């Protein structure tokens, strides 16, 4: 049998990034946390945590933390019958979930709010590109993910959420400066564009569909959804934005769509571990309802 208090200490160190912060979370001393972690490592004959700034789990450590997450979910369903909170640790249940930045900035808050109304459970949201959130699920870092991947993940089920629609926008001054004769291939190659990070290829995807070229001009890197919009509005470059974030700006003339009606749809899916627990069921219902109300419109 696993030593669950020791495993809870391992999970706290991984989650908080240090033994000191883990100790504060568990209301014990850093020395006690260290003893529990070291004792479990000695019994298993393997290193579970790579000490550093921050501390990180080894592959076995991640697997054990994922196991603890599942055990806590099952115990949470037992708690009402036993007459107390989460079994063993006394901690409030927390669900680790991976979500992409644009969903978090648009429709996902409604899902989180709806979930909070029916469940006394905390969310631990990990931000990543929608094409890579499922990787966190496969690694055992999260229990569910908003992802662009349709490929099945072992031990999980996948539900379609709809599509997040994007429009290529720029400020009126930017359009006048870089596209005085319209959006042509030559003008697009010279005009600065914005990208979220090195894994963001939406601008190239839009350019290929609109003009038959994947090449774009000089790039400014802006790793923030709201910052991306702010930089577009002040004329730093053009970029792809969720339509639900820019519709009002387009209507008011604060932004201009480069090629009106030329949109890009990014299909999204909800991938969640196959564990029939009340918290996961409630979260899945909230996510599907919030997404169904707005995605693809």
């Amino acid at each position: 049998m696993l030593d669950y208090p020791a495993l809870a200490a391992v999970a706290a160190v991984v989650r908080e990034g240090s033994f000191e912060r883990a100790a504060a979370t568990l209301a014990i001393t850093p020395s006690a946390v260290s003893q529990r972690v070291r004792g479990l490592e000695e019994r298993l004959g393997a290193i579970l945590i790579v000490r550093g700034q921050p501390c990180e789990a080894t592959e076995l450590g991640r697997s054990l933390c994922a196991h603890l997450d599942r055990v806590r979910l099952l115990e949470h369903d037992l708690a009402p019958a036993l007459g107390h909170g989460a079994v063993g640790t006394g901690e409030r249940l927390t669900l680790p979930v991976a979500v992409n930045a644009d969903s978090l900035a648009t429709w996902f808050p409604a899902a989180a709010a709806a979930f909070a109304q029916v469940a006394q459970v905390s969310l631990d949201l990990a931000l990543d590109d929608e094409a890579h959130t499922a990787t966190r699920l496969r690694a055992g870092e999260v229990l569910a993910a908003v992802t662009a991947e349709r490929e099945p993940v072992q031990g999980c089920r996948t539900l379609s959420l709809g599509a997040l629609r994007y429009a290529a926008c720029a400020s009126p001054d930017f359009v006048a400066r870089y596209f005085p004769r319209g959006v042509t291939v030559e003008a697009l190659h010279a005009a600065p564009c914005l990208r979220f990070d090195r894994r963001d290829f939406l601008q190239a995807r839009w350019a290929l569909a609109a003009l038959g070229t994947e090449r774009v001009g000089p790039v400014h890197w802006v790793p923030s959804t709201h910052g991306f919009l702010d930089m577009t509005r002040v004329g730093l470059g053009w970029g792809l934005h969720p339509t639900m974030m820019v519709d009002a700006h387009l209507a008011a003339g604060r932004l201009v769509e480069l090629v009106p009606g030329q949109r890009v749809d990014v299909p999204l899916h909800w991938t969640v571990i196959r564990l029939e627990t009340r918290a996961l069921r409630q979260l899945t219902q909230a996510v599907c309802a919030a997404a169904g109300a707005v995605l693809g419109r």
Side-chain angles (χ1 to χ4, degrees):
M1 294 292 293
L2 288 171
D3 181 343
Y4 281 95
L7 185 50
V10 171
V13 173
V14 173
R15 182 177 62 248
E16 301 298 329
S18 75
F19 284 75
E20 292 73 17
R21 289 195 291 272
T25 299
L26 298 174
I28 58 177
T29 66
S31 177
V33 173
S34 180
Q35 289 174 9
R36 292 183 185 184
V37 172
R38 186 170 60 252
L40 185 57
E41 289 179 329
E42 289 175 353
R43 284 192 292 276
L44 296 175
I47 298 299
L48 302 178
I49 294 176
V50 179
R51 279 68 169 172
Q53 297 295 331
C55 294
E56 295 182 353
T58 62
E59 184 176 353
L60 177 58
R62 287 195 298 271
S63 296
L64 289 173
C65 289
H67 169 74
L68 182 62
D69 285 336
R70 288 161 171 77
V71 169
R72 285 174 170 169
L73 272 172
L74 294 169
E75 290 177 341
H76 185 262
D77 279 2
L78 282 175
L82 298 176
H84 54 75
V87 179
T89 67
E91 292 183 72
R92 177 183 169 100
L93 181 66
T94 298
L95 292 182
V97 177
V99 60
N100 60 308
D102 287 345
S103 289
L104 188 60
T106 52
W107 63 271
F108 195 86
F115 174 66
Q117 291 177 3
V118 298
Q120 297 299 313
V121 177
S122 297
L123 293 175
D124 184 359
L125 300 180
L127 280 181
D128 210 335
D129 183 85
E130 62 272 5
H132 298 271
T133 46
T135 301
R136 291 180 177 264
L137 195 59
R138 292 188 181 94
E141 297 176 19
V142 298
L143 297 174
V146 177
T147 175
E149 286 191 32
R150 287 187 296 178
E151 294 299 317
V153 176
Q154 184 175 7
C156 299
R157 63 190 180 109
T158 298
L159 304 172
S160 176
L161 296 176
L164 192 56
R165 184 161 292 163
Y166 289 80
C169 303
S171 70
D173 288 344
F174 184 92
V175 171
R177 184 164 66 254
Y178 287 98
F179 303 112
R181 297 178 180 83
V183 180
T184 64
V185 171
E186 293 74 17
L188 194 71
H189 291 171
C193 75
L194 307 181
R195 286 178 62 185
F196 190 87
D197 58 26
R198 265 67 180 178
R199 298 178 296 184
D200 174 16
F201 298 104
L202 272 181
Q203 282 63 227
R205 179 178 163 187
W206 176 89
L208 180 62
L211 298 173
T213 178
E214 290 185 284
R215 179 185 163 195
V216 294
V219 175
H220 296 289
W221 306 97
V222 186
S224 160
T225 297
H226 290 288
F228 205 89
L229 178 57
D230 291 339
M231 293 300 185
T232 304
R233 288 187 57 193
V234 299
L236 183 65
W238 68 273
L240 271 289
H241 301 266
T243 55
M244 63 183 74
M245 291 186 69
V246 297
D247 279 344
H249 294 293
L250 291 171
R254 293 185 292 268
L255 290 176
V256 176
E257 191 170 1
L258 297 190
V259 179
Q262 183 69 53
R263 307 292 173 85
V264 172
D265 284 350
V266 176
L268 295 177
H269 308 274
W270 176 245
T271 301
V272 57
I273 63 168
R274 291 186 181 276
L275 197 61
E276 291 300 323
T277 65
R278 183 172 63 255
L280 283 179
R281 184 168 59 253
Q282 291 169 328
L283 180 58
T284 296
Q285 291 171 347
V287 166
C288 290
V294 296
L295 293 187
R297 298 186 177 184

